[in-house]
Amino acid sequence: MSVGDIRIADLFEAIGDALTLPPGTTPADEAARQTLLGHRIAAVCAAVDHVQATGDPIQALALLDTQVEAHPIAYTPQPQRIPGGGR
């Protein structure tokens, strides 16, 4: 695997992380989650557009990271369930 492949893999991982948002605990939290998801989708689209235009996945990853930091989770997420009882 070349270094370029690793960078693309990193970008794909960041995209997955950006779009994986836990559900909210209330209807208002869920509405806030949907708004945040919209911001994250726009950030992912911008990162992909950057790679297509420039061929630079490292800068695209930096752009995505900046946008994710600008739009953090600002709602109360439901607690994550631990498979198998969590013992």
Side-chain angles (χ1 to χ4, degrees):
M1 179 179 290
S2 72
V3 174
D5 291 340
I6 292 170
R7 291 176 180 157
I8 289 293
D10 292 341
L11 178 60
F12 285 148
E13 183 178 347
I15 287 170
D17 290 346
L19 297 177
T20 303
L21 299 173
T25 56
T26 66
D29 286 338
E30 193 56 29
R33 178 187 177 274
Q34 292 301 316
T35 299
L36 176 59
L37 187 57
H39 290 297
R40 298 281 182 95
I41 289 169
V44 166
C45 290
V48 171
D49 288 347
H50 182 81
V51 170
Q52 289 178 323
T54 67
D56 184 359
I58 294 173
Q59 183 62 32
L61 182 57
L63 292 170
L64 180 58
D65 285 344
T66 299
Q67 287 300 308
V68 167
E69 289 173 9
H71 298 284
I73 293 176
Y75 62 90
T76 305
Q78 288 183 4
Q80 291 184 335
R81 292 192 167 93
I82 300 173
R87 292 183 185 235

